[in-house]
Amino acid sequence: MKTVIVVHGGAWAIPDMLAKASVAGVKNAAWAGDAVLKNGGSAIDAVEKAVRSLEDDPTFDAGHGAVLNIDGEVELDSIIMDGETLATGAVASVRNIANPVSLARAVMEKTDHVMLTDRGASMFAERIGIPVADDLVTELERKDWEQSSSYPVGVEKFFNTQWGHDTVGAVALDSLGNVACATSTGGIRNKMVGRVGDSPIIGSGGYADNRSGAVSCTGHGESILKVTLARLILFQMEQGKSATAAAEASLQYMGERVKGCGGAIVVSSTGDWAASFTTPRMAWASIKEDVLHYGLNPKEDFTEREHY
């Protein structure tokens, strides 16, 4: 099976000052995930590696560089899912963890549960030896947070100005034909304490099933939750739509039904892939058969041969 990796750095009105860094970040994450797949690694290893790369990059709202809630704290959410067995792990409202995607994977592999939140997730992280990170807040985010106002305004502005940041994610198909997804986020700036969006919720922020494919979503979390966007896209693919047609139809439905904007990356179990969005911009990149595709603006699709 020819391997595929697709990554996104969030769908929102990415300001010009972050455009270059956003594209560079998703390309680096795609290369990181592709290296795992090229070495015979699993789809689950590849999506974890790609998302860790994005969490570690302060350009993106996940891990280092996450946005602050109304009390000026970081609260992180993540999910990871294995399409072979439907095994999944998620964490929500975790505070001092640099790579929530790896904690989500530990929930999947080391507990009988699917999701742990807040204090329980922190206790579990401590028990398995995941170090505490006290340096997740960037100076830029602290400054932006101080400038920004209350949550309702924050959400309105989220897609129209640089107040927003968003989720990161990856989907992959490995050489054995297994798919996986991972999604990670710091959520919306000035969100209420304890607010959880779509990212860590199975079927909304992500879903993976070898019988159809894998999806990672991004955008207005409350809207994505209402239409269970990830599962909706795979449902459309099960009805015979291509990855692109399924993503576009589902995003259009979300816009019409709940007035929500967003984006999604998709890979089918046959290697058909897509990166679609209804926000002004979404940084994305994919690698299939040694060709890197990437874009930021609508209808953009640049290609590069890989440099190893």
Side-chain angles (χ1 to χ4, degrees):
M1 182 67 82
K2 295 208 164 53
T3 64
V4 184
I5 179 102
V6 193
V7 305
H8 72 75
W12 58 293
I14 299 165
D16 291 342
M17 64 177 254
L18 288 180
K20 207 171 159 184
S22 297
V23 171
V26 291
K27 284 162 78 169
N28 286 338
W31 283 319
D34 185 57
V36 171
L37 296 170
K38 285 249 190 327
N39 291 326
S42 66
I44 204 95
D45 287 342
V47 294
E48 182 189 14
K49 184 85 176 177
V51 168
R52 281 181 68 102
S53 165
L54 294 163
E55 287 174 338
D56 291 344
D57 186 330
T59 307
F60 304 104
D61 172 22
H64 290 271
V67 296
L68 302 176
N69 68 16
I70 202 152
D71 282 357
E73 306 161 326
V74 168
E75 289 184 301
L76 305 169
D77 307 321
S78 185
I79 192 170
I80 192 165
M81 186 165 186
D82 182 341
E84 184 183 12
T85 60
L86 304 190
T88 184
V91 292
S93 299
V94 298
R95 286 161 199 265
N96 296 331
I97 304 290
N99 296 111
V101 70
S102 296
L103 184 56
R105 184 169 181 177
V107 172
M108 173 175 83
E109 293 177 344
K110 297 183 165 127
T111 78
D112 295 329
H113 307 311
V114 164
M115 182 185 278
L116 293 178
T117 68
D118 201 345
R119 194 172 65 92
S122 298
M123 286 161 59
F124 173 62
E126 193 179 342
R127 199 173 81 228
I128 61 173
I130 291 182
V132 167
D134 294 318
D135 59 345
L136 301 181
V137 183
T138 62
E139 273 179 55
L140 178 67
E141 171 55 25
R142 178 66 67 189
K143 195 175 89 217
D144 284 351
W145 177 79
E146 282 163 1
Q147 280 178 6
S148 64
S149 44
S150 62
Y151 177 70
V153 178
V155 173
E156 305 267 306
K157 286 183 170 178
F158 183 76
F159 295 110
N160 307 320
T161 75
Q162 60 269 42
W163 292 130
H165 271 266
D166 200 43
T167 310
V168 303
V171 295
L173 170 70
D174 65 26
S175 57
L176 298 176
N178 295 317
V179 296
C181 73
T183 306
S184 186
T185 191
I188 301 179
R189 183 177 298 134
N190 278 321
K191 64 189 179 180
M192 287 174 66
V193 175
R195 176 265 188 190
V196 177
D198 67 292
S199 299
I201 307 298
I202 191 169
S204 291
Y207 202 80
D209 183 349
N210 281 7
R211 295 183 184 181
S212 45
V215 179
S216 171
C217 298
T218 164
H220 185 236
E222 283 72 12
S223 299
I224 292 169
L225 282 163
K226 289 170 187 173
V227 301
T228 57
L229 185 59
R231 195 66 193 80
L232 182 63
I233 291 169
L234 291 175
F235 171 73
Q236 302 259 7
M237 287 164 69
E238 287 158 9
Q239 306 298 303
K241 281 196 173 77
S242 69
T244 299
E248 287 179 351
S250 302
L251 286 165
Q252 188 183 340
Y253 171 78
M254 184 169 81
E256 289 165 2
R257 193 74 178 83
V258 296
K259 309 278 182 288
C261 293
I265 51 171
V266 187
V267 67
S268 78
S269 38
T270 57
D272 175 31
W273 65 272
S276 302
F277 55 98
T278 51
T279 49
R281 285 174 160 173
M282 180 176 83
W284 63 272
S286 77
I287 298 173
K288 182 181 180 179
E289 295 181 53
D290 293 336
V291 182
L292 170 79
H293 289 259
Y294 64 94
L296 178 73
N297 295 301
K299 307 274 184 268
E300 217 166 57
D301 185 353
F302 299 112
T303 55
E304 274 175 30
R305 298 298 296 182
E306 271 202 85
H307 65 276
Y308 272 112

